[in-house]
Structures are given as structure tokens and as C-alpha cells.
Amino acid sequence: MHVFCNLEDAGDGLPPLCDMTFEVVDKAFDESASTWRISLCASATPYEPVGFVVDIPVVGWREQIVGDEDSAFHSFWGPVTLRTRGHDSDRLLALMADYYGLSSPSDKRLRWLPKYFQPRDTLLGKGWIFSQCVNCLAVGIQSNPALISDHPVHMKLFFDDGVEDGNYAEVFLDIDLPQGLCALNEKDEEYRPQLVHWLSVPGIVNANPRG
């Protein structure tokens, strides 16, 4: 499965939003933490594969209900953690930055190097390094992430440093664990620089001011 196999053209003459599709290549339930650790990967031909890992807890989700009876809107709030898959995640970050038109850490250096000195893995050569892990706030939209083992879950992730005019970003994350599929879909193009910021901060990152 190619990471861009489900790009949708809005017909406005602009490039499609950067919606990405992944396969679940591994999943494990941590009994002590009551958390699913789900490893995701996709082909990125002509580049090497890309992917990441996500931790979804099955406890601690706070339900919020708006409206009454049949018209009620249910949302479920809790923490989600994104983790690196090593080089697969570094390539993913580089691929996103390329799609977004953002300069990479190595762009200036590579311009001055002869081609035979440049890295063979084009995406890794961009110099992007995915964070060790990023903790963020998530909301299950009309779906409860606690039930992820048996039901598809549609979530929105929030990245925030709690500072006015800071690095705030949103992105959609859909996981169908029974079918072994995942989608990481853009919420809005304005969040692109901030999303890359959060996914490239070194070490263990807290992007959830509530957590």
C-alpha cells in the first residue's frame, strides 16, 4: 500500500491535502498500561518505506455529550502518543516536509556537495529526525478509542504548547484495527509548519498542556 494511495483532489486546481494511508504491521496490548501500541508502515516508492507508532490507551477517556437522544454528539477525550519507527519515521517527516514545501535541515549543506557525496537514501539525506515520542491530546469523534480493538476509531489530535500564538496544530487520525488500516489526514494547511515542528522536537515531547 502506497502512503499517498488515497489522496483526494478537491477540484480547485490546488494540490490535494496531504492525506496518508498506512497498514498496521504490528500491534501489541500492554496489560500494565492498558494501552495498544500500533506500528504503522506504508510504501513510499520511489523512496524507502515510511511509518510511525501510535499508543492508544483503552482507559481514561472522558465522554462529552452535546444534544439529546438521537441528535446527541458524542466525543471522547484522552491522551495519545506518537512514537518513532526509526528511519521509517525520519523518512515520513522528510516526505511531509517536502509535500508541504518546507526547507529541510540539510538543504543548504547538500547544495554544495557533489552528487557522489550525497546520501543514497534521499529522504534520510534531508536530515529530518522524528521525535522519540510526542504526547498529545486526542478526541474520538462519535467513536470511543477505548473500543479500538473491535471498532474503527475516528480521532482528531491536538498539539499545543499552551502559549498564545504558539505552535498549535491539529491532524486527523483514523484507525481500523480489525481491518489493519490507518489514515493520517490533514485538518488544515495552516497547521503544516507547526505539525512538522512537533514531530521533529528531539526526545520525549509533551504537546498536551492538559496532560
Side-chain angles (χ1 to χ4, degrees):
M1 177 177 294
H2 196 278
V3 68
F4 288 139
C5 65
N6 285 316
L7 286 181
E8 294 188 15
D9 191 339
D12 54 8
L14 300 175
L17 288 176
C18 187
D19 294 344
M20 298 181 165
T21 304
F22 302 86
E23 291 181 271
V24 175
V25 293
D26 192 27
K27 59 183 180 181
F29 185 71
D30 185 338
E31 296 278 356
S32 62
S34 299
T35 296
W36 280 100
R37 178 161 294 181
I38 303 166
S39 190
L40 306 160
C41 194
S43 165
T45 307
Y47 308 112
E48 294 298 310
V50 297
F52 65 104
V53 178
V54 59
D55 289 355
I56 311 288
V58 298
V59 296
W61 292 93
R62 179 176 58 84
E63 185 176 10
Q64 184 177 34
I65 304 174
V66 177
D68 300 316
E69 299 179 356
D70 293 341
S71 63
F73 184 89
H74 297 258
S75 56
F76 300 83
W77 296 82
V80 161
T81 301
L82 306 182
R83 298 183 183 277
T84 182
R85 258 180 67 89
H87 287 331
D88 288 355
S89 298
D90 298 340
R91 291 190 200 97
L92 174 62
L93 188 57
L95 190 66
M96 292 170 66
D98 269 6
Y99 197 100
Y100 297 167
L102 302 177
S103 297
S104 72
S106 300
D107 275 351
K108 292 182 179 179
R109 178 177 60 83
L110 290 175
R111 272 192 217 111
W112 295 98
L113 286 176
K115 287 188 177 179
Y116 49 81
F117 280 134
Q118 295 186 12
R120 293 186 178 181
D121 192 316
T122 306
L123 292 179
L124 289 185
K126 296 288 187 179
W128 290 103
I129 304 294
F130 200 96
S131 303
Q132 180 181 341
C133 69
V134 184
N135 304 310
C136 57
L137 178 66
V139 58
I141 302 171
Q142 292 283 61
S143 58
N144 187 353
L147 306 178
I148 193 170
S149 61
D150 299 311
H151 300 279
V153 174
H154 175 48
M155 292 177 287
K156 182 161 64 172
L157 307 184
F158 303 86
F159 304 81
D160 192 3
D161 49 19
V163 178
E164 187 175 355
D165 298 324
N167 292 296
Y168 178 82
E170 300 178 10
V171 69
F172 290 115
L173 178 67
D174 299 337
I175 301 179
D176 188 337
L177 206 54
Q179 293 294 320
L181 297 172
C182 169
L184 185 68
N185 295 335
E186 272 197 284
K187 170 65 168 61
D188 196 298
E189 292 181 25
E190 69 174 289
Y191 298 130
R192 289 178 169 183
Q194 292 84 0
L195 183 59
V196 168
H197 161 79
W198 284 114
L199 297 182
S200 61
V201 177
I204 299 172
V205 183
N206 182 25
N208 180 2
R210 300 188 191 179

